[in-house]
Amino acid sequence: MPLTPDEVAHVAMLARLGLTEEERARLAVELGAIIDHVSALNRVDTSHVAETAQVGGLVNVWREDEERPPLGRRAALANAPDHDDEFFRVGAIQEQ
Amino acid sequence: MSAAPETLAECAAALRAGAVTAVELLERSRARIAALDPQVNAFLSRTDDLADRAAVEADRLLSAGTPGLPALCGVPVAVKDVLCVEGAETTAGSLILRGFRPPYTATAVQRLLDAGAVLVGKTNCDEFAMGSSNENSAYGPVRNPWDLGRVPGGSSGGSAAAVAARMVPLSLGTDTGGSIRQPAALCGVVGFKPTYGRVSRYGLIAFASSLDQVGPFALSVEDAATCFAAVAGHDPLDGTSSPTSVEDPLGGLREGVDGLRLGVPHEYFGEGLDPGVRAAVEGALEVLRSLGATLEEVSLPTTDAALSTYYVIAPAECSSNLARYDGIRFGMREDRGSLLETYLRTRDAGFGAEVKRRIMLGTYALSSGYYDAYYRKAQKVRTLIADEFSRVFERVDAIVSPTSPVPAFPLGAHSDPLSMYLLDVLTVPVNLAGLPGVSVPCGLVDGLPVGLQVVAPRFLDARALRIAHAYEQATGWRTLRPASVEAVAP
Amino acid sequence: MTETLRGAPAMVDHEAVIGLEVHAQLLTRSKMFCGCPAGYVGAAPNENTCPVCLGLPGTLPVINRRAVEHTVRTALALNCEIPHFTKFDRKNYFYPDLPKGYQISQYDLPLSRNGHLEFSLDGRRVRCGITRVHLEEDTGTLHHAGDVLQSATSSLVDYNRSGVPLMEIVGEPDLRSAEEAREYLVRLRQILMYIGVNDGNLEEGSFRCDANISVRPRGSDTLGVKVEIKNMNSFRAVQRAVEYEITRQITVLGAGETLHQETRGWVEARAATVSQRSKEHAHDYRYFPEPDLAPMVLSVEMVEEVRHTLPELPEARAARLVAEHGIGADDAGVLTATREEADSFERLVAAGVPARLAANWQVNAVNGLSNAHHVPLWESGLGIDGLAALLRLVDAGTVNQTTAKELLEELYLGGGDPGAIVRERGLGQVSDAAELAALVDAAIEANAKAVADFQGGKEGALQAVVGHVMKATKGRADAKLVNRLLRERLSG
């Protein structure tokens, strides 16, 4: 069953995807079909099962509190689309 | 068959015998790329300076008779463009990372470079490793060297095709739901996905954190094992990397399969299986039997739910992993004045359709009201799947099956996303359980390659490789080459 | 310009319900998930960054062990339960100061829960529950062109702070007044500094506080509309903001209007809280367990090891100082304000200075100097050992209080040997009764009027005569003895 336009709009905003009208319409159908399919999971009995926390079974993986030389500002800014040699720059934030 | 060295092992021997130099191997690789890549489109970019310097250095070490040089020294390799290489453009097959030059190199790639490998370039892939056909790249699809009208498989299509086309003997790909094994099967090469945690993910542009693994494409199982040995092992920069020491996969490689019990899951031989694939794989099982293995039918009942489990967990994790692509610190930015509009426009213009689909799906599965029914439920079913494998492995030493239900299909054949997802049914359970799996060529169907998948228990990577090696050595599939390659390199 | 609230007096007597949320940066060398330096004050923008804390593609976090230990230490100091199993989760939202588009934090299985913090206020005991203490990473910092978010056309981002280890301490809504809120924060900050996990700096943002405030009719047990207050950068601001908000809420309700669940910021210049954004558009953080990090299993042994590193906490230490050394409770409170001060006091006593003398001097003269010069005793030139030497001289009667105070001031910054200086300059106290007797007689003669006044009943008149003797001895006379001698002379 396709998603409603409101559902698509809501999810798209959560994901910060600015979708076109055409994309929204298409995704409503595609996502609806996929979600219907994966809802088959509900038929699986998991009443006595715990979620997989970490597929590797590892616990307590940590590092000692030691400093490593940082990258430095120039390298940090090297890939930035907009910067002023000190900071990364973004547009008007306003209300989110 | 070609007289010139093709496999990693042949190249290593020829280099040491002085029959060829690393610079010559590099030139030959570039000539092969020039001849074939305009059609195949396996490469997105080249790392020429890095390669030139590495080849010169390798020749210096080789001619000086330096003892103990790794087999990889002087050998041309390629890596999938989701693996970061310092200073080299790394795009993950996406527009949103066009021009991105990482200030660091992925650990797995660094280990190849430290062994003296000559990195020729970055290979094409489905955008952010999402896809099963390499038709989702923002830089054009990759075409299968066996039939240029067909897909090579995905998402590591470029890495598979580069090896199949003999452009390089070895490449690195990544596998989240089958993205090494499936293209290996469709391109007639060996593809190996190690146990989750065996190879560092540091520097691998993340798709699904609990499923991604780096692994080799090669022309022989031995070569794949050599590469695996070079890149595997604990990395302090990856908190999911296993501290268990790596059993040398080359040590027991030739032990054969005599006395081993192999499980054949009947759920993997269902209705959707192409008859030609079925015939080829059943033939392979016969060969294994003749080599002394016992085959036993087993059941993995939750296989049915594995695809759904994967298509909840992987998109969920990817929706979070791809949130960092916002045009602020790197990559593409579509500036629109306000921050919100910039986010929306950048991510709309930068991501392709499949990526958007998965981000939407994943965001939905994690969102308030749906988390328990989808993500949490999927993680429980995942436990069932892993437990099921464990129980089967109490009775058998490994599991064998087809890698892909179909051989290479024409470009555009699976425009419906769901029909594409269904192709992953034989490979995703292995990622969900974190098991090692290898695909090895086992025949042709109408001239198109078929792959046999061997899956072993966690950390028994060497066993999977050993079984695949025994099968490979008993058959001649390894030496078959695509017609397109024969034409340029008889 | 301040705003004043007008409104009808409330018809119903309301009580305030206040819950405080503190974010405290941990004192570690490196960041939470990478090796960049954790200290960023004074660093040039974006200097202390690396691929991990910049959230570059392909990078992965690795847990800083000391940050986990600091959080366990804090949990123990706050009487919390520490679960066997704990993990990190991703909190997903988009904001420029959050490089990965998610914050690694803790959601449903935090490092600790169910603790409490007790303190005294105005003679009564207050006990505030601690809901949880968990560990997460800090975000980068934003600078808005023009300094005001709402109207800035662009903003600048600095990631030096991104990834610094941050502890979140959530208090139960057990506080009932602005005074209680302030005192809770003072005590909490003091404990965190005592156990060495935080440097207590509110101005620079290493110790941050938000308040959740609601009001309800007194005696009710349902909760009113909750308003979150942010941007309080000092204890005084917290107190004023909480007071303002309580009054505002009661006034709104008293006027028959409704309160909105929202976030408000304290604006110092207007002495008021101002609405920032409505909490009705609450974020959907889509929490899920962090797949890049293994969960943590905290063994009993590990927790006990951390417990053994806990120092004596402030209240317990103050109580012990009163019991062991007989000093007053007020002085004990001042002396245990920081661990270093308490350590200084106990070292003075161990060096042979009587407790009450040490307490009196440290609380008054020494604190005065350390505040004036912004140099604490243990960093001063005189140091604890120097002060001990000086106070031993006072105790022995070798030098009088006035002289000692002058010496303290003189030697505080530059240091020096008090004993030697007293000898060299002949500053020793004059306490020879015979010597003083002569001077006393001379003073009586020279101050006939004062003597007459004193003998006539004016107690205060004696001071002039005492002063005469002090002047004659250049301030070195034992003032108490002079007093005694004078009274003896003049009474009989």
Side-chain angles (χ1 to χ4, degrees), chain B residues 197-370:
Chain B
R198 264 277 174 256
V199 179
S200 170
R201 291 186 298 118
Y202 187 77
L204 163 57
I205 296 179
F207 160 19
S209 314
S210 73
L211 298 161
D212 293 343
Q213 265 299 270
V214 178
F217 287 96
L219 293 168
S220 73
V221 175
E222 181 184 352
D223 285 356
T226 302
C227 180
F228 171 59
V231 300
H234 182 250
D235 181 10
L237 293 175
D238 175 357
T240 60
S241 126
S242 168
T244 319
S245 59
V246 189
E247 180 198 333
D248 174 23
L250 292 161
L253 192 66
R254 291 170 180 73
E255 272 172 35
V257 298
D258 190 22
L260 287 184
R261 296 161 304 164
L262 304 178
V264 182
H266 76 82
E267 291 85 1
Y268 286 46
F269 287 81
E271 278 165 25
L273 195 57
D274 176 280
V277 171
R278 183 190 298 270
V281 172
E282 281 172 353
L285 299 184
E286 272 313 304
V287 171
L288 286 165
R289 200 176 270 125
S290 74
L291 291 173
T294 41
L295 268 60
E296 183 181 321
E297 186 170 288
V298 295
S299 177
L300 294 164
T302 318
T303 302
D304 211 22
L307 206 62
S308 298
T309 306
Y310 175 82
Y311 276 103
V312 169
I313 294 174
E317 290 178 4
C318 103
S319 72
S320 178
N321 285 328
L322 269 62
R324 67 191 67 200
Y325 301 100
D326 57 13
I328 295 176
R329 289 162 310 286
F330 50 83
M332 183 180 125
R333 175 195 281 202
E334 287 280 314
D335 226 319
R336 288 290 184 279
S338 85
L339 175 72
L340 177 59
E341 278 304 306
T342 303
Y343 278 147
L344 296 173
R345 291 303 127 228
T346 298
R347 290 162 65 79
D348 187 43
F351 289 139
E354 184 59 42
V355 168
K356 282 184 207 168
R357 198 160 24 238
R358 298 204 194 188
I359 290 175
M360 291 286 285
L361 192 54
T363 305
Y364 182 91
L366 290 173
S367 66
S368 172
Y370 294 112

Side-chain angles (χ1 to χ4, degrees), chain A residues 3 7-20 23-24 26-28 30-63 68 71 75-83 88-96, chain B residues 99-103 196 210 237-243 302 305 307-309 311-312 327-333 335 337-340 342-345 347-348 351 353 356-357 359-361 363-364 367 370-371 373-374 376-384 387 415 417-418 421-422 431-434 458-459:
Chain A
L3 296 185
E7 284 174 315
V8 173
H10 176 70
V11 175
M13 180 51 94
L14 281 179
R16 296 296 187 270
L17 289 174
L19 301 171
T20 63
E23 281 174 317
R24 283 166 200 268
R26 184 171 44 79
L27 280 165
E30 285 172 355
L31 293 175
I34 297 167
I35 290 164
D36 284 345
H37 185 92
V38 302
S39 296
L41 287 177
N42 291 324
R43 293 197 289 275
V44 181
D45 179 12
T46 53
S47 45
H48 300 294
V49 181
E51 295 128 80
T52 298
Q54 225 284 335
V55 79
L58 298 171
V59 290
N60 296 348
V61 179
W62 37 47
R63 64 183 173 85
R68 270 167 53 123
L71 201 57
L77 293 171
N79 281 291
D82 188 6
H83 68 89
F88 297 86
R89 199 156 39 200
V90 297
I93 296 181
Q94 296 156 356
E95 291 300 324
Q96 281 291 293
Chain B
F100 172 61
R101 289 179 190 275
Y196 181 85
S210 73
L237 293 175
D238 175 357
T240 60
S241 126
S242 168
T302 318
L307 206 62
S308 298
T309 306
Y311 276 103
V312 169
I328 295 176
R329 289 162 310 286
F330 50 83
M332 183 180 125
R333 175 195 281 202
D335 226 319
S338 85
L339 175 72
L340 177 59
T342 303
Y343 278 147
L344 296 173
R345 291 303 127 228
R347 290 162 65 79
D348 187 43
F351 289 139
K356 282 184 207 168
R357 198 160 24 238
I359 290 175
M360 291 286 285
L361 192 54
T363 305
Y364 182 91
S367 66
Y370 294 112
Y371 176 83
Y374 292 102
R376 177 179 251 151
K377 180 74 180 184
Q379 288 285 31
K380 290 188 180 184
V381 179
R382 182 178 192 169
T383 306
L384 281 180
D387 287 349
S415 51
L418 199 49
Y421 295 169
L422 291 171
N431 300 81
L432 289 169
R458 275 178 62 71
F459 299 114

